[in-house]
Amino acid sequence: MRRVIVPAAAVLTTLVLAPPVAAEPQQKVPVAEGYGGAVATVDLDASKAALSVLRKGGNAVDAAVAAGAVLGVTEPYSAGLAGGGFMVYYDARQRKVFTIDGRETAPRAMTSTTLEGIPFEEAVTSGLSAGVPGTVANWDLALRRFGTISLKQALQPAIEVASKGFVVDQTFYDQTAANATRFKDFTSTAALYLPNGAPPPVGSVFRNPELADTYRQLAKRGPSWLYGGRLGEEIVATVKQPPVTPGSTRNVRPGLMELSDLRAYRALMREPTKISYKGMDVYGMAPPSSGGSTVGEALNILESLPKVGLHEYLEASRLAFADRGKYVGDIPGVPLKELLSDGFAKERACLIGERAMAHPAAPGSPDGSYEPCAQPTGSATPVADEGPETTHLVVADRWGNVIAYNLTIESTGGNGIVVPGRGVLLNNELTDFTFGPAPGDPNLP
């Protein structure tokens, strides 16, 4: 069986580590071949950082952490040390897939009704939306378990990029401009991302010396500086008393995070999802991610069909996303085994005909009792729009290890609040929960 790791997003910048050769005119080709390792991220600086780690003998995990830290500098509206993420890692020596859950969590004080009645936009730009950060714990666990370098070493490329700066491109400018109305309502955010009251122009060099210092201190003091130490205290203070610009009329709600929430946080090793598809073993991230369950179910549905084309792919995805919306939320209540069962896939596959089904599709019943062609009994609910948030990277090394890493601060720009003096945006991960009232919803906070 071949092993396949399912990434959660497309990646744009791909570099392959190969021996130096004589200069020749470069030709664009769809596939690059080489050896020594390969990196794919959305950002050239992050890809270069990962390649530098591979060149020095580091492995895929070392390089992924280094790239993730650089993305916190160059893609700060999608990633950062105050966010979270998921890692799916194939260990070539053990011939085994491992996954690490570094997802942000809700503070202990949050209840299933905390978000009820709050307008979405008001909830996003507030201390209330900030989840307990998981990224640093994710990096630490990955490096301790599978890496060959220290967190201090992995952070060095990001410190350099934050100190020396990077060239502002159109995307960075556009994302800053799109957030300008809320960035200006926080003194620390406006000072960093709206110099002279406007987004930094395309082509200028953007530096974040406060983030460089934050990374230096993290490298020196270790993860405990965040999870119970001074940095954690500063994050909690920012969540509970956001630095609102004097005169702002924005209703900025305080958050519920406490230092005890940070002390209690742990990144977790979880069993990956696994299904078989046309002779391949396909692995993904299990809940609380929905990637492994949704991709796995869609592939199971496709394998149950007599023919597969674009129409069938779209319909299988439509059905899998309907079940994702109904059943996938926080654990342990997700019926993962049944969602990925062949019986459920066959029951869902029989709904796919020659014409597109109504959208949104109704969810099925992953209850373990399956009929040849059961019609869904649940009610259809709209699928939420997916924006351009979150980022993804993939690294392979010379030994055949591969890591797929999704990292995020949720919405583009997170909750819009930079921790004063630290140069890092907070996440708004808690607005990923269902606001309610929605009794029985698996995604209630």
Side-chain angles (χ1 to χ4, degrees), residues 46-64:
S47 292
K48 286 180 176 178
L51 281 181
S52 72
V53 171
L54 294 179
R55 284 196 179 98
K56 295 173 183 176
N59 68 13
V61 168
D62 303 327

Side-chain angles (χ1 to χ4, degrees), residues 10 52 93 102 116 136 151 194 219 362 416 434:
S52 72
R93 183 178 62 83
E116 281 188 17
V136 173
L151 180 61
L194 299 174
T434 302

Side-chain angles (χ1 to χ4, degrees), residues 117-136:
I118 301 175
F120 181 80
E121 292 303 321
E122 191 173 302
V124 168
T125 309
S126 73
L128 191 61
S129 68
V132 181
T135 290
V136 173

Side-chain angles (χ1 to χ4, degrees), residues 18-41:
V21 296
E24 295 180 359
Q26 295 294 310
Q27 294 183 343
K28 291 184 178 181
V29 293
V31 177
E33 295 183 1
Y35 58 88
V39 177
T41 82

Side-chain angles (χ1 to χ4, degrees), residues 197-240:
V202 174
S204 65
V205 175
F206 182 85
R207 297 178 178 86
N208 192 338
E210 291 180 344
L211 180 56
D213 181 65
T214 300
Y215 275 148
R216 287 192 194 97
Q217 294 299 320
L218 182 62
K220 177 182 178 180
R221 303 175 187 277
S224 62
W225 185 52
L226 169 59
Y227 296 105
R230 178 61 185 171
L231 179 58
E233 292 174 351
E234 292 177 20
I235 288 174
V236 169
T238 305
V239 167
K240 297 177 83 67

Side-chain angles (χ1 to χ4, degrees), residues 69-346:
V70 172
L71 288 171
V73 181
T74 59
E75 294 285 321
Y77 306 143
S78 298
L81 65 84
F86 299 114
M87 291 179 172
V88 181
Y89 172 61
Y90 173 66
D91 188 291
R93 183 178 62 83
Q94 299 185 62
R95 297 181 63 83
K96 186 176 180 181
V97 176
F98 300 87
T99 62
I100 304 178
D101 173 6
R103 179 73 152 161
E104 303 94 327
T105 59
R108 191 174 186 86
M110 179 165 268
T111 72
S112 62
T113 60
T114 297
L115 300 174
E116 281 188 17
I118 301 175
F120 181 80
E121 292 303 321
E122 191 173 302
V124 168
T125 309
S126 73
L128 191 61
S129 68
V132 181
T135 290
V136 173
N138 203 354
W139 292 346
D140 179 57
L141 178 56
L143 290 172
R144 286 189 290 106
R145 182 72 185 270
F146 305 109
T148 67
I149 65 175
S150 66
L151 180 61
K152 180 178 181 179
Q153 292 171 298
L155 290 175
Q156 295 312 305
I159 293 171
E160 183 174 350
V161 175
S163 300
K164 295 182 178 179
F166 63 92
V167 177
V168 173
D169 61 12
Q170 191 66 49
T171 298
F172 186 87
Y173 175 85
D174 290 344
Q175 291 180 337
T176 309
N179 277 288
T181 55
R182 64 189 190 123
F183 281 4
K184 69 178 178 60
D185 286 336
F186 301 100
T187 55
S188 51
T189 312
L192 179 60
Y193 291 118
L194 299 174
N196 302 315
V202 174
S204 65
V205 175
F206 182 85
R207 297 178 178 86
N208 192 338
E210 291 180 344
L211 180 56
D213 181 65
T214 300
Y215 275 148
R216 287 192 194 97
Q217 294 299 320
L218 182 62
K220 177 182 178 180
R221 303 175 187 277
S224 62
W225 185 52
L226 169 59
Y227 296 105
R230 178 61 185 171
L231 179 58
E233 292 174 351
E234 292 177 20
I235 288 174
V236 169
T238 305
V239 167
K240 297 177 83 67
Q241 289 186 308
V244 179
T245 300
S248 170
T249 58
R250 185 181 296 274
N251 181 16
V252 181
R253 296 170 184 267
L256 301 173
M257 193 187 306
E258 301 287 351
L259 197 60
S260 58
D261 294 311
L262 286 161
R263 290 197 186 103
Y265 186 88
R266 299 291 184 275
L268 301 171
M269 300 294 301
R270 296 199 186 277
E271 284 296 315
T273 62
K274 177 186 176 183
I275 62 104
S276 294
Y277 180 74
K278 295 188 175 181
M280 294 180 287
D281 290 332
V282 183
Y283 293 85
M285 189 73 212
S289 167
S290 64
S293 64
T294 309
V295 172
E297 181 187 343
L299 289 175
N300 282 341
I301 292 171
L302 289 175
E303 197 162 44
S304 301
L305 297 172
K307 67 180 181 71
V308 174
L310 179 59
H311 167 70
E312 287 76 21
Y313 160 75
L314 294 171
E315 294 295 84
S317 300
R318 192 195 313 275
L319 291 168
F321 269 85
D323 296 327
R324 167 191 186 259
K326 175 67 175 178
Y327 299 109
V328 179
D330 207 354
I331 51 179
V334 180
L336 182 61
K337 181 179 178 181
E338 295 303 327
L339 286 172
L340 294 178
S341 67
D342 290 337
F344 184 56
K346 291 177 181 177

